[in-house]
Amino acid sequence: MKFFVDTANIDDIAELAATGLIDGVTTNPSLVAKSGRPFKDVIKEICALVEGPVSAEVVATDYDGMIKEGRKLAKIAENVTVKLPLTWDGLKACKTLTGEGTMVNVTLCFSANQALLAAKAGATFISPFIGRLDDINLDGMELISDIRQIYDNYLFDTEILAASIRTANHVKESALAGADVATMPPNVIKSLANHPLTDKGLETFLADAKKAGIKV
């Protein structure tokens, strides 16, 4: 499974990229706005920090506007992935941009039928929003499993990018359900390494080493 970090914070991205565990980045206009810097400048800097896909979202809602913005975003760097909403105009724009060789991440997916349309439109990634489905008492993991089965049935190349991930358990369940990618905030990525028994075992080991007078 690939790990993308969901942030526009340059320091967080640089720290995680240095570990070699991050395969890409997802952003949105709200995350970039928090930096207080021009949108294109932030995306360009992020693209220089990671080799993998960097999702940059359009703000237009009509086909012509999406195409215009998408083409501009794609020129920032070779690893820019244009992020489009799962609307009818978004699907049309996806078909056009992917036909031009641009990577596209179709976002705000909440049903298997939507994911099927995105794959037929040539999307590079489909982003089902797990946490938001959980918020309305629906099973986000069931959606991941349904999309996985459909894509496998018809050999679609579109990768399932599990989004709106909020907990370490979401990551595990997404991996079990067959998601290709999980995108998550920096704190969730770091939490994956945590376990109380690991902490306890390390504490015991260090105590025993101290008693035995072991030094390195």
Side-chain angles (χ1 to χ4, degrees), residues 5 19-20 39 52 68 70 78 94 101-102 115 139 147 155 158 173 203:
V5 59
T19 68
F39 185 85
K68 184 177 180 180
E78 291 185 357
C94 175
T102 298
D139 189 348
I147 298 172
L155 303 178
T158 302
E173 291 180 353
E203 182 181 346

Side-chain angles (χ1 to χ4, degrees), residues 12-133:
D12 286 340
I13 294 170
E15 178 189 358
L16 290 167
T19 68
L21 299 174
I22 302 304
D23 303 291
V25 178
T26 54
T27 71
N28 61 50
S30 297
L31 290 173
V32 176
K34 292 178 181 179
S35 71
R37 298 170 56 203
F39 185 85
K40 290 183 180 179
D41 290 352
V42 175
I43 298 300
K44 185 175 182 179
E45 188 169 356
I46 293 172
C47 287
L49 286 172
V50 296
E51 295 182 1
V54 175
S55 289
E57 189 168 355
V58 302
V59 295
T61 57
D62 64 292
Y63 170 81
D64 290 336
M66 291 181 197
I67 294 299
K68 184 177 180 180
E69 287 184 33
R71 286 171 176 163
K72 287 182 179 179
L73 291 171
K75 291 179 181 178
I76 295 175
E78 291 185 357
N79 53 332
V80 164
T81 300
V82 177
K83 198 172 179 183
L84 301 173
L86 212 162
T87 62
W88 198 246
D89 278 3
L91 291 169
K92 289 166 59 181
C94 175
K95 188 68 173 178
T96 298
L97 291 173
T98 56
E100 295 174 355
T102 298
M103 292 186 293
V104 173
N105 176 3
V106 178
T107 190
L108 293 172
C109 173
F110 296 99
S111 77
N113 283 334
Q114 288 180 318
L116 177 57
L117 288 173
K120 288 183 69 64
T124 312
F125 301 101
I126 182 68
S127 290
F129 275 44
I130 297 167
R132 295 195 192 182
L133 285 170

